[in-house]
Amino acid sequence: MQDPTSRSDSDQGRVEVKETTCYMCACRCGIRVTLRDGEIRHIEGNPDHPLNKGAICAKGSSGIMKQYSPARLTKPLLRKQGAERGSSEFEEISWEHAFELIEGRLSKIRAEDPKKFALFTGRDQMQALTGMFAKQFGTPNYSAHGGFCSVNMAAGMIYTIGGSFWEFGGPDLDRAKLFIMIGTAEDHHSNPLKIALADFKRRGGRFISINPIRTGYSAIADEWVPIKPGTDGALIMAITHELIKQGLYDRDFLIKYTNSAELVVDDPSRDDHGLFRRFEMHIEEGCFDPENKLWWDIDLDREISTHTPGVDPRLMGEFKLEDGTPVKPAFQLLKDRVEEYTPEWAAHITGIPADTIRRLAHEMGVVARDQKIELPIQWTDTWGNDHDSVIGNPVAFHAMRGLAAHSNGFQSIRALSILMTLLGTIDRPGGFRHKAPFPRPIPPCPKPPNGPEAVQPNTPLDGMPLGWPSKPDDLFVDEDGEAVRLDKAFSWEYPLSVHGLMHNVITNAWRGDPYKIDTLLLFMANMAWNSSMNTENVRKMLTDKDESGEYKIPFLIVADAFQSETVAFADLVLPDTTYLERHDAMSMLDRPISEFDGPVDSVRIPVVPPRGDCKPFQEVLIELGSRLGLPAFVKEDGSRKFRDYPDFIVNYETSPGSGIGFLAGWRGKGGEKFLKGDPNPRQWEMYKENGCFYHYELPKSYQYMRNWNRGYLEWARAHSMIRYAEPITIHLYSEVLQRFRLAAQGKWPGRIPP
Amino acid sequence: MTQLALVIDLNVCVGCHACVTSCKEWNTSGWAGPLTDQRPYDADPTGVFFNRVQTYEAGVFPNTETYHFPKSCLHCEDPPCVPVCPTGASYKREDNGVVLVDYDKCIGCKYCSWACPYGAREFDEQQKVMKKCTLCIDRITDMSLPESERKPACVLACPTRARIYGDIHDPDSEVSVAIREQGGYPLQPEWGTKPSNHYLPRRKTRIQIHEDELVRVDNPLKKEALPTLPEAGETLDDVAW
Amino acid sequence: MDTQTYPLNALTQRPMAMYHSWDSQNAWLRQIHTHNYLFVNPRTAEANGFGDGDWIWIESPINKVRCMARFSEAVEPGTVWTWNAIGKAAGSWGLSPKANESQKGFLLNHVISEELPPCEAGEHMSNSDPVTGQAAWFDVRVRIYPAEAGEPEVTSPQFKPQKRVPGQDPKRGKWQAFVAGAFRKKAKIQE
């Protein structure tokens, strides 16, 4: 053999090195792909990438075997005439034939009843495009996989602190001293969490894992606390009980930055029971918390407007307003609620000894209180107070599906968000930190449509298919209170289903409940296998026929790169490309890869040509949008607006001249702007020259306390990331949920359930 | 003499196998490749990997520890696989101490794998030659690469940076410092093979909170008008003199 | 829920090498996790009458799955668990119908219902969080018991092997030696 030291890989064949973004999982690490004679030689982490800093995981390193997998689909396929669905009998067809079939079918549906077309996608990273396609088509029946993944994590946290774990925020392990990981099934996040966790441990941080199982991350925990599944909420409530009992909460933080001290009407006989007492003032309509609420002033012993300078309010007690209204501070309601949730009570439920629960609470409370971090960073809050430093209480948490995938998940996660708030750790060093475009108002502004009239033939949907209800009137139900969506999202049954309920789509469509559909388009969603519950029966539903011999779900289109279990059930198969063969945008309009220090988005740029007749699903959507004449995809004369997906990404604006598009970096005619600016014809090239990502690092004074940081919020508004530069007060108490409770009791002035 | 080696930090290894496939990926198309797979899409797939991660449990619930243990050739200073080789295929480089196999000389007799007490050798069933970790010899000596990349693929890939690479004979190297300061240990030193690779042990961080630390003078409860103690009735102040 | 009949919680976790379920058919990754077991605390297994490596049934109120058990002290005794999405349907994902993924691997999803039993809230309520509609995968309760002697040593349910589709590569051979620059030609992979 040749002496290895005299050999250089760069001399072996024709070598090319290209950068793009990984897609072997959902992390979106930056990668460098080396090709030899046009074949993939190796894939390594991009050391300059902010997300993975050169690291790559087992899957990322195995991308070669994905590219050359024998499971690859390479041709559009049509179920053979006479072949039964599920038998995997297909004939190759041309793309033109496939497009004609879909166009014919969909244009008829769109002209008659657009909701008979349903588009559901798996863990796609183009939800801004797939969602927009559905809206433009006019169907409300769209969602991605969030409903069967971790929507509770997103909803529970966003409805409480205005941000959530993973894409929109996470634990600041660079500065934390105590880290509690509760209920992660070795899932989100992968490489960045590994990197941060290892550095945290090296620095001597203490890592506690609360999980029924000790594998992966939990293996390196300093302490493993086994817990019974689904009982995390009880544990968190008991810890909260102990923290309040010992006074181990950050009072100053709670008063200034949360609704803890705000006075809630406390009289079950009244229609406004459980709502904040608000005083009359002129308020601009908008999705922010107007500051027309009250505190109880300790010194004057009477009600006073919140955030009145110099006032110290009560967190506890019960009071009568001047007009006789009985009220309690929100914090008192929390205290009342957790009064009975002692560590002994939780020990029985969780299987964790009461002494351990108390010790966990003490560790959290004392570290947060006594190991404070003070960074010499000046900032100004939304009330105009200047601060000479940023304070951090260095206790960080991470949680994911272990909490989320239970029917009590939303409330468990709200409890966790409240615990993090009591410790004073929100968007502070060593605690939880937001990632742009979060924090957003609680709840964020977009709303789903709120009635069946939003769905009209040949018309885009009036509203977003997915949004953030803040009151019963935002539900997407008809006059009888019945769901408009096929998956019954935003109904009285599942009011805050902000990611939809993909797991019920096939069953509902099969049963015709609430109605029958015609065409179901699935992208990257393995609904005949691991993405469905009750899989064996779902497979039967996919092939079930009605009395007339027609399939109950009449037409099923599957777009995938591989011969998955679901492909067998398709009537039409659209072969997608791999991640190495396509353009993609990890957009600020969807779920970007932002860091704690500022917005980051990224792209994929093909490193190898597509195999066979594979076509990126985005190109399919652009083509269909153009053929169907969906307004966003055609000019006024009905002609095609975008050449292809890369052209669409560069030139699409959320509204004409808005300057907001899919990519935030290098906007403006010459690439001189970011976040907002005219389309830049060289935008792809500029991403390519910069490792396929755009990273804007915020000034230090904008990097913390962003819910209430005037500088940051005004900057975010100026760059159109947010509509209002108003404080995003933490909902320790959720008035949103109380509105639904009042409706259930018949006390809500608007919509009430049937 | 230089002795290149890996130091693997079991304190942070989460068992993610990044080192396993990044190694396979680099080496299968490199000097030591291919890393053949048998039945890659059929029952009982198997193949050549220069680096594997094993996971062990220790203790009984609830006092269970889970260990992830990456293992590859340890590049022993006194490698028992070398003298047993009848053809001289198995050798240790003098310039950097890396243990290698010359496939052209290997006759596939497997003596070396029987001699290796660590089970670190990998037989290629198709080519009938013995293969093993080369420390990515074709990367670490490739002067056309920038210095930051002249490292084994597993080291570059590892998300937890649990793999440190360097010269254990240089007392100032990162590996030597880690071994010295963090209790690095070789595997089974009693066999006298003097493994060059070392492992860093698990370390535990604990917090001890004394009862006195719980309540501080600025306890926020003091700000609240909590019910005060009821009137206690008569006290010694009233009756004693 | 009858927790007397179905006393155990059943969960899934990601294998550390396989964050997210895609691509577990990958030729290299499938050598790391080619099939899954149900991990059971030895005390729980003993109480249910089976040993390490035995074939067992996992049964929920809606369905049951046959699989192999693996003892683990790293799980609380009221919980059993397995790796998510390692099991595949026979013949799918370009794998042989005899591949371990389908013959020894299994999918826990079969025992998890997408709907609740009919109740006062409705006939067809989603098995979800009533606030957000989040699928309540981890609420499932099961019982476990040994398979009968003589039962086939293969996971259940099994499905008729899925056929390859036009445009897929021809079946790959017994050996694969990937070397960049020479692979596609050798493996007869079409461009």
Side-chain angles (χ1 to χ4, degrees):
Chain A
M1 281 174 92
Q2 182 189 6
D3 184 277
T5 61
S6 66
R7 176 190 187 277
S8 172
D9 215 64
S10 56
D11 300 334
Q12 314 289 315
R14 178 171 49 87
V15 177
E16 299 162 90
V17 180
K18 298 178 179 181
E19 288 172 322
T20 186
T21 302
C22 190
Y23 202 173
M24 291 295 287
C25 78
C27 273
R28 300 159 296 174
C29 295
I31 50 172
R32 254 180 5 202
V33 182
T34 303
L35 303 172
R36 180 194 287 166
D37 295 333
E39 260 177 38
I40 300 164
R41 162 66 181 95
H42 73 288
I43 302 170
E44 57 197 333
N46 178 354
D48 302 322
H49 199 279
L51 194 115
N52 55 315
K53 303 174 178 74
I56 191 162
C57 74
K59 294 190 84 176
S61 303
S62 303
I64 296 172
M65 289 294 115
K66 175 175 189 152
Q67 185 63 25
Y68 303 124
S69 163
R72 289 290 304 273
L73 302 172
T74 63
K75 304 281 180 192
L77 302 170
L78 184 65
R79 181 161 57 85
K80 269 190 186 158
Q81 200 95 39
E84 290 295 316
R85 188 187 280 174
S87 66
S88 235
E89 295 281 354
F90 295 103
E91 58 178 321
E92 286 180 34
I93 59 168
S94 68
W95 273 105
E96 183 53 36
H97 186 183
F99 282 129
E100 279 169 10
L101 273 173
I102 305 173
E103 184 188 347
R105 197 143 192 137
L106 293 193
S107 58
K108 185 162 175 287
I109 296 173
R110 189 163 188 260
E112 290 169 0
D113 186 1
K115 66 179 184 293
K116 292 194 179 287
F117 168 61
L119 166 59
F120 285 85
T121 74
R123 206 342 170 167
D124 86 71
Q125 294 179 355
M126 54 174 97
Q127 291 172 34
L129 174 60
T130 49
M132 174 196 148
F133 182 88
K135 176 184 160 77
Q136 289 284 317
F137 185 89
T139 181
N141 292 321
Y142 160 80
S143 85
H145 83 310
F148 68 69
C149 183
S150 283
V151 61
N152 270 337
M153 192 51 67
M157 292 188 79
I158 289 171
Y159 273 93
T160 307
I161 63 171
S164 77
F165 288 131
W166 195 29
E167 288 132 320
F168 303 144
D172 180 14
L173 294 182
D174 283 354
R175 294 188 190 272
K177 292 179 180 155
L178 175 63
F179 176 48
I180 297 106
M181 186 183 268
I182 175 166
T184 64
E186 315 303 2
D187 46 12
H188 327 58
H189 204 199
S190 184
N191 277 342
L193 189 58
K194 291 177 209 153
I195 294 167
L197 190 54
D199 285 345
F200 172 78
K201 278 208 51 153
R202 272 191 208 95
R203 270 194 306 276
R206 174 160 163 80
F207 170 24
I208 298 173
S209 170
I210 303 171
N211 197 313
I213 303 159
R214 183 170 208 176
T215 54
Y217 301 132
S218 302
I220 63 167
D222 295 303
E223 180 178 352
W224 174 45
V225 182
I227 184 172
K228 290 182 189 164
T231 68
D232 311 86
L235 172 67
I236 294 165
M237 295 299 253
I239 290 172
T240 302
H241 169 102
E242 182 66 15
L243 288 176
I244 293 177
K245 184 177 158 197
Q246 296 290 348
L248 287 169
Y249 50 84
D250 187 333
R251 181 174 188 274
D252 188 53
F253 184 84
L254 291 176
I255 288 170
K256 284 184 183 150
Y257 305 121
T258 80
N259 63 19
S260 300
E262 295 176 1
L263 299 178
V264 178
V265 176
D266 183 42
D267 177 359
S269 69
R270 291 169 60 132
D271 283 357
D272 59 353
H273 173 64
L275 299 181
F276 286 110
R277 177 64 174 201
R278 296 172 187 273
F279 53 82
E280 292 289 324
M281 82 179 208
H282 174 73
I283 312 161
E284 187 200 343
E285 264 308 299
C287 65
F288 57 87
D289 261 337
E291 301 219 284
N292 56 352
K293 292 176 277 180
L294 300 168
W295 283 347
W296 194 266
D297 187 324
I298 290 181
D299 294 330
L300 301 176
D301 201 27
R302 51 162 294 202
E303 70 239 46
I304 195 161
S305 182
T306 60
H307 296 280
T308 305
V311 165
D312 200 9
R314 287 263 187 246
L315 282 178
M316 296 181 190
E318 43 193 292
F319 313 102
K320 266 206 163 56
L321 300 182
E322 243 171 39
D323 68 3
T325 306
V327 292
K328 282 179 177 176
F331 188 85
Q332 178 66 40
L333 297 177
L334 175 69
K335 183 171 181 287
D336 293 347
R337 174 49 69 93
V338 300
E339 199 69 54
E340 59 185 301
Y341 301 144
T342 60
E344 281 72 17
W345 166 85
H348 172 67
I349 296 167
T350 60
I352 302 171
D355 282 347
T356 305
I357 297 174
R358 253 187 295 272
R359 179 172 53 76
L360 290 172
H362 297 168
E363 286 196 28
M364 293 173 198
V366 170
V367 170
R369 185 193 64 189
D370 293 351
Q371 299 201 38
K372 278 197 191 318
I373 298 167
E374 186 167 5
L375 303 180
I377 297 171
Q378 286 189 329
W379 66 288
T380 304
D381 65 35
T382 40
W383 301 280
N385 306 306
D386 296 323
H387 301 260
D388 287 335
S389 62
V390 168
I391 306 290
N393 301 346
V395 181
F397 291 81
H398 186 61
M400 201 42 71
R401 286 190 77 191
L403 266 66
H406 290 285
S407 54
N408 63 11
F410 176 82
Q411 296 292 7
S412 299
I413 288 159
R414 240 188 72 72
L416 174 64
S417 310
I418 289 169
L419 170 61
M420 289 160 58
T421 302
L422 291 179
L423 294 167
T425 63
I426 308 303
D427 211 31
R428 287 174 131 186
F432 170 89
R433 304 268 309 274
H434 290 298
K435 298 176 185 172
F438 284 78
R440 294 172 71 189
I442 303 171
C445 305
K447 301 285 172 265
N450 64 357
E453 61 284 355
V455 184
Q456 298 291 343
N458 286 328
T459 310
L461 187 72
D462 186 16
M464 301 299 285
L466 299 172
W468 303 86
S470 67
K471 54 185 185 301
D473 315 85
D474 295 334
L475 293 180
F476 197 6
V477 292
D478 65 18
E479 276 179 2
D480 302 326
E482 295 300 323
V484 179
R485 283 176 59 111
L486 175 64
D487 62 0
K488 306 195 183 186
F490 310 113
S491 63
W492 288 104
E493 287 85 355
Y494 324 102
L496 307 184
S497 40
V498 298
H499 291 172
L501 289 84
M502 188 169 179
H503 43 295
N504 292 110
V505 163
I506 289 174
T507 306
N508 290 2
W510 165 77
R511 191 181 284 129
D513 170 21
Y515 45 80
K516 289 193 172 299
I517 60 162
D518 179 86
T519 296
L520 174 60
L521 168 52
L522 296 173
F523 168 55
M524 264 182 90
N526 199 4
M527 300 307 287
W529 200 248
N530 56 297
S531 294
S532 274
M533 303 165 109
N534 192 12
T535 305
E536 193 171 3
N537 280 315
V538 163
R539 291 166 69 94
K540 288 178 190 152
M541 294 173 199
L542 290 171
T543 56
D544 196 21
K545 294 177 178 172
D546 60 22
E547 310 79 50
S548 62
E550 295 299 314
Y551 287 110
K552 288 191 171 174
I553 301 172
F555 199 65
L556 183 58
I557 308 172
V558 175
D560 206 320
F562 298 99
Q563 179 229 8
S564 70
E565 285 87 350
T566 307
V567 164
F569 295 88
D571 298 301
L572 180 63
V573 180
L574 307 176
D576 192 21
T577 56
T578 68
Y579 68 115
L580 298 173
E581 301 167 341
R582 72 200 294 151
H583 287 89
D584 259 325
M586 274 55 72
S587 168
M588 210 59 69
L589 304 180
D590 182 0
R591 300 170 181 210
I593 58 163
S594 296
E595 293 285 314
F596 298 148
D597 66 15
V600 192
D601 67 6
S602 63
V603 299
R604 292 193 184 91
I605 297 179
V607 300
V608 287
R611 274 191 63 188
D613 292 338
C614 290
K615 195 184 278 293
F617 186 62
Q618 299 102 320
E619 297 290 2
V620 173
L621 289 181
I622 306 276
E623 178 72 31
L624 285 176
S626 308
R627 285 178 181 241
L628 293 166
L630 307 186
F633 296 95
V634 293
K635 297 178 188 156
E636 271 181 27
D637 65 2
S639 67
R640 188 181 179 117
K641 203 166 176 181
F642 305 105
R643 193 172 58 247
D644 52 16
Y645 176 72
D647 182 47
F648 168 81
I649 288 297
V650 167
N651 290 308
Y652 172 78
E653 291 177 274
T654 49
S655 60
S658 72
I660 304 172
F662 275 73
L663 292 176
W666 300 285
R667 298 195 70 85
K669 290 203 166 52
E672 68 286 350
K673 295 192 170 158
F674 61 93
L675 286 166
K676 193 175 178 179
D678 290 335
N680 165 15
R682 291 192 59 243
Q683 198 174 25
W684 282 104
E685 286 164 60
M686 291 178 170
Y687 270 87
K688 190 175 182 178
E689 285 159 14
N690 287 279
C692 289
F693 65 92
Y694 177 80
H695 183 181
Y696 176 77
E697 194 179 328
L698 292 163
K700 286 265 185 273
S701 61
Y702 295 180
Q703 288 186 13
Y704 300 92
M705 302 296 283
R706 278 166 282 198
N707 295 49
W708 323 273
N709 183 324
R710 176 188 278 179
Y712 169 76
L713 288 166
E714 287 181 352
W715 175 89
R717 185 175 59 180
H719 291 85
S720 296
M721 284 214 312
I722 200 163
R723 196 176 298 156
Y724 306 98
E726 298 288 335
I728 300 166
T729 299
I730 290 175
H731 286 200
L732 187 100
Y733 178 74
S734 177
E735 196 182 39
V736 171
L737 294 177
Q738 181 63 13
R739 290 173 191 149
F740 286 91
R741 279 187 213 105
L742 289 174
Q745 294 160 7
K747 291 180 178 171
W748 182 249
R751 251 182 192 157
I752 54 170
Chain B
M1 192 190 90
T2 301
Q3 177 61 59
L4 299 176
L6 296 173
V7 171
I8 298 168
D9 189 352
L10 300 182
N11 190 42
V12 296
C13 175
V14 293
C16 77
H17 284 76
C19 51
V20 175
T21 58
S22 60
C23 161
K24 176 126 180 162
E25 175 193 47
W26 174 261
N27 285 297
T28 193
S29 297
W31 175 79
L35 274 59
T36 313
D37 297 309
Q38 198 172 350
R39 298 178 300 276
Y41 301 102
D42 211 326
D44 304 327
T46 179
V48 176
F49 284 86
F50 290 174
N51 179 36
R52 295 178 187 265
V53 178
Q54 293 159 342
T55 295
Y56 301 98
E57 289 175 3
V60 174
F61 179 87
N63 302 309
T64 319
E65 291 287 340
T66 304
Y67 291 98
H68 304 296
F69 186 73
K71 200 178 72 179
S72 51
C73 171
L74 302 161
H75 299 282
C76 300
E77 302 215 33
D78 192 0
C81 54
V82 169
V84 299
C85 178
T87 65
S90 212
Y91 67 105
K92 186 173 175 70
R93 290 187 69 92
E94 298 210 338
D95 54 351
N96 56 21
V98 174
V99 176
L100 296 173
V101 180
D102 184 333
Y103 305 158
D104 292 345
K105 293 182 185 164
C106 178
I107 54 171
C109 68
K110 301 188 186 173
Y111 285 5
C112 55
S113 67
W114 299 335
C116 172
Y118 307 103
R121 297 205 151 213
E122 296 268 332
F123 191 69
D124 185 323
E125 293 284 355
Q126 188 188 30
Q127 297 191 341
K128 304 290 180 198
V129 294
M130 194 59 74
K131 299 186 172 179
K132 62 178 286 302
C133 164
T134 69
L135 268 187
C136 289
I137 187 84
D138 52 349
R139 277 194 79 94
I140 59 178
T141 61
D142 183 349
M143 300 308 281
S144 72
L145 290 172
E147 194 187 347
S148 61
E149 292 177 26
R150 290 203 296 270
K151 289 179 182 171
C154 58
V155 173
L156 292 169
C158 180
T160 59
R161 304 288 181 244
R163 304 173 76 89
I164 322 171
Y165 158 76
D167 177 9
I168 54 163
H169 286 179
D170 170 3
D172 298 326
S173 69
E174 197 187 350
V175 278
S176 295
V177 172
I179 292 168
R180 203 163 56 233
E181 294 184 355
Q182 297 176 56
Y185 60 92
L187 293 185
Q188 277 124 345
E190 64 276 15
W191 286 334
T193 57
K194 295 171 80 181
S196 302
N197 285 8
H198 284 64
Y199 290 85
L200 303 179
R202 280 273 172 82
R203 293 183 298 279
K204 298 270 188 193
T205 302
R206 291 194 173 78
I207 292 178
Q208 202 68 48
I209 293 170
H210 195 276
E211 208 187 317
D212 296 352
E213 293 170 78
L214 271 185
V215 180
R216 237 169 46 171
V217 66
D218 59 354
N219 191 305
L221 292 172
K222 294 184 180 172
K223 290 275 189 180
E224 308 300 336
L226 296 174
T228 43
L229 290 173
E231 278 297 318
E234 210 165 32
T235 68
L236 285 187
D237 280 349
D238 302 310
V239 296
W241 62 89
Chain C
M1 169 55 66
D2 178 358
T3 54
Q4 295 295 317
T5 311
Y6 302 101
L8 299 169
N9 292 288
L11 302 181
T12 57
Q13 298 245 126
R14 305 284 186 202
M16 280 309 290
M18 197 69 68
Y19 166 60
H20 224 286
S21 61
W22 311 319
D23 308 318
S24 48
Q25 84 286 359
N26 185 297
W28 294 346
L29 296 169
R30 72 182 290 257
Q31 294 182 52
I32 299 171
H33 299 296
T34 188
H35 68 268
N36 51 332
Y37 295 92
L38 189 75
F39 290 99
V40 185
N41 188 296
R43 272 165 275 178
T44 311
E46 197 181 317
N48 288 281
F50 60 84
D52 190 27
D54 286 358
W55 285 92
I56 61 165
W57 286 97
I58 317 164
E59 187 180 308
S60 79
I62 68 150
N63 206 343
K64 60 180 188 172
V65 166
R66 185 173 53 221
C67 67
M68 279 188 281
R70 180 60 79 218
F71 282 8
S72 171
E73 291 284 352
V75 56
E76 72 93 17
T79 301
V80 296
W81 71 279
T82 189
W83 291 324
N84 193 8
I86 293 294
K88 310 227 172 299
S92 63
W93 294 95
L95 300 179
S96 147
K98 292 184 183 140
N100 307 44
E101 283 81 348
S102 62
Q103 303 306 296
K104 294 180 177 175
F106 68 99
L107 195 63
L108 195 67
N109 305 39
H110 294 303
V111 303
I112 305 173
S113 180
E114 83 281 35
E115 293 183 342
L116 299 175
C119 58
E120 60 183 29
E123 280 289 295
H124 302 299
M125 295 296 290
S126 175
N127 177 15
S128 292
D129 187 309
V131 180
T132 60
Q134 152 99 47
W137 301 95
F138 292 172
D139 281 359
V140 68
R141 303 287 296 212
V142 299
R143 65 190 183 111
I144 51 177
Y145 51 91
E148 301 279 332
E151 279 188 42
E153 296 198 333
V154 60
T155 47
S156 174
Q158 286 288 323
F159 301 94
K160 202 176 161 197
Q162 195 169 322
K163 289 181 198 154
R164 309 172 76 76
V165 300
Q168 252 182 282
D169 288 339
K171 196 164 174 278
R172 296 276 173 85
K174 184 181 175 191
W175 300 101
Q176 172 170 285
F178 182 83
V179 178
F183 182 69
R184 282 176 298 177
K185 207 172 148 196
K186 216 170 108 190
K188 300 193 181 69
I189 296 175
Q190 57 172 351
E191 291 294 313

